[in-house]
Amino acid sequence: MSDYALFLGCVIPNRYPGIEAAMRKMAPSLGITLYEMDGASCCPAPGVTRSFDSQTWLTLAARNICIAEALGKNVLTMCNGCYASLKEANAILKNDSAKREAVNKVLSEVGKRFRGDIEVKHIVEVLYNEVGLEKIKSLAKRRLNLKAAVHYGCHILKPSELREWKSHERPTFLDELITALGMESVSYQDKMMCCGAGGGVRSGVPEVGLDMTREKLRNIIRTGVDVIVNCCPLCHLQFDRGQVEIEQNMGEKFRVPILHYIQLLGISAGLTLDEVGAKAHNISLETLASRI
């Protein structure tokens, strides 16, 4: 069994609780025990908070890490942005004594101290490197007859010096996790392009973000896929809610279902669409119902 402190972040509990539900339902089958991070806050968002005030970003991230340290468990997140914030803050504070001292001075006011004795991991990282493809294959009760367009997202891959993937420019790990479920992962133009949401673009200049999302969707639908599979709830939001916003603001209609990988894994293992939170999605998953 692997024990982890579960860090939910903001988007999952507020917008897509089905991702959390799928994680909790699948954890026992994956050999994972989850511990609650009571009192955890926003990670905080790396592309916004860090850009404006890096010291505040670092201190808030450290506070979250301290909660996991108190549990004596490594952090497990299902969000690329949370992964980036917590993993990078953890590395900075472990290696920079001056920054660690400054952060701990602030944390002392709330009875916390960063020790640097845990790691931060992404669920896809754990599935690929620890659970393993053979175990994933064994959980696939349903051989899903689906073509998927994989979207990695930015923060799970970069900065490369803090990510332990074989390739950061042409990764295959998420594609391999898709094919382990009996699905086809298709190639498409500009596969590694940003979804359009990151770095505060979705909030600050939404028309730019939606234009990027539209470009990706156009490239994806040319391949005739059934579903877009991601590993980040903000990317998930941009593709799901973004399709509605593109239709409203740009007049172009897309209807491509979106699934976080842990939701897809849950469906493959026998969970229903309702059990993985289909009703919270803007784009209906019912087109997949007859294929699973």
Side-chain angles (χ1 to χ4, degrees):
M1 276 288 220
S2 296
D3 295 350
Y4 287 100
L6 181 63
F7 186 81
L8 293 174
C10 304
V11 179
I12 289 175
N14 285 296
R15 302 296 289 266
Y16 295 106
I19 297 175
E20 176 188 354
M23 181 70 248
R24 292 188 184 279
K25 286 178 167 61
M26 289 304 302
S29 299
L30 294 167
I32 294 173
T33 301
L34 300 173
Y35 290 79
E36 305 305 318
M37 291 183 63
D38 294 334
S41 68
C42 176
C43 60
V48 180
T49 309
R50 185 177 186 176
S51 299
F52 285 98
D53 188 338
S54 61
Q55 188 62 27
T56 296
W57 164 79
L58 192 59
T59 305
L60 290 171
R63 178 188 169 279
N64 284 317
I65 293 168
C66 287
I67 295 172
E69 288 183 338
L71 293 170
K73 311 297 179 186
N74 290 332
V75 173
L76 180 66
T77 177
M78 296 167 285
C79 172
N80 293 4
C82 297
Y83 177 67
S85 258
L86 299 178
K87 187 176 184 68
E88 291 164 33
N90 202 36
I92 290 168
L93 292 171
K94 283 184 178 184
N95 293 292
D96 191 320
S97 59
K99 290 183 178 179
R100 183 169 63 249
E101 183 179 347
V103 162
N104 277 334
K105 183 178 180 180
V106 177
L107 291 178
S108 67
E109 297 177 17
V110 292
K112 297 187 183 299
R113 181 175 181 81
F114 175 88
R115 301 194 304 265
D117 54 12
I118 60 101
E119 301 297 331
V120 177
K121 300 193 177 185
H122 193 292
I123 182 57
V124 167
E125 183 182 20
V126 171
L127 291 175
Y128 189 77
N129 293 328
E130 298 178 23
V131 176
L133 294 176
E134 291 306 311
K135 176 66 173 180
I136 297 297
K137 289 177 183 177
S138 73
L139 293 174
K141 297 177 182 178
R142 297 167 171 157
R143 304 303 288 179
L144 304 178
N145 181 29
L146 299 171
K147 292 172 65 177
V150 169
H151 174 78
Y152 281 85
C154 304
H155 291 299
I156 198 169
L157 298 168
K158 302 290 180 69
S160 56
E161 63 268 21
L162 292 177
R163 309 292 190 268
E164 298 176 1
W165 304 113
K166 293 178 181 177
S167 173
H168 302 88
E169 304 300 331
R170 293 181 176 84
T172 63
F173 57 90
L174 192 49
D175 299 86
E176 291 176 61
L177 286 166
I178 293 291
T179 56
L181 302 179
M183 296 170 55
E184 178 185 354
S185 179
V186 304
S187 296
Y188 62 94
Q189 184 179 339
D190 294 329
K191 182 175 180 178
M192 304 314 299
M193 179 179 169
C194 174
C195 68
V201 176
R202 176 175 172 81
S203 300
V205 277
E207 67 279 5
V208 174
L210 287 178
D211 189 51
M212 294 172 69
T213 310
R214 178 174 61 175
E215 180 66 20
K216 286 215 73 164
L217 286 166
R218 285 174 174 173
N219 292 333
I220 285 169
I221 63 171
R222 291 189 188 108
T223 66
V225 300
D226 302 296
V227 62
I228 296 171
V229 180
N230 67 88
C231 56
C232 174
L234 185 60
C235 298
H236 190 103
L237 173 67
Q238 186 69 3
F239 282 116
D240 181 46
R241 179 63 191 168
Q243 290 187 59
V244 176
E245 294 166 346
I246 288 169
E247 184 175 353
Q248 291 173 343
N249 296 294
M250 299 175 173
E252 194 164 349
K253 186 175 182 178
F254 300 97
R255 283 292 183 271
V256 188
I258 315 298
L259 284 171
H260 189 286
Y261 183 80
I262 196 66
Q263 291 177 300
L264 180 69
L265 178 60
I267 292 168
S268 180
L271 298 181
T272 66
L273 291 177
D274 281 349
E275 287 177 308
V276 301
K279 290 179 181 178
H281 289 213
N282 290 270
I283 303 301
S284 174
L285 301 180
E286 289 306 312
T287 57
L288 304 178
S290 62
R291 309 286 298 279
I292 61 177

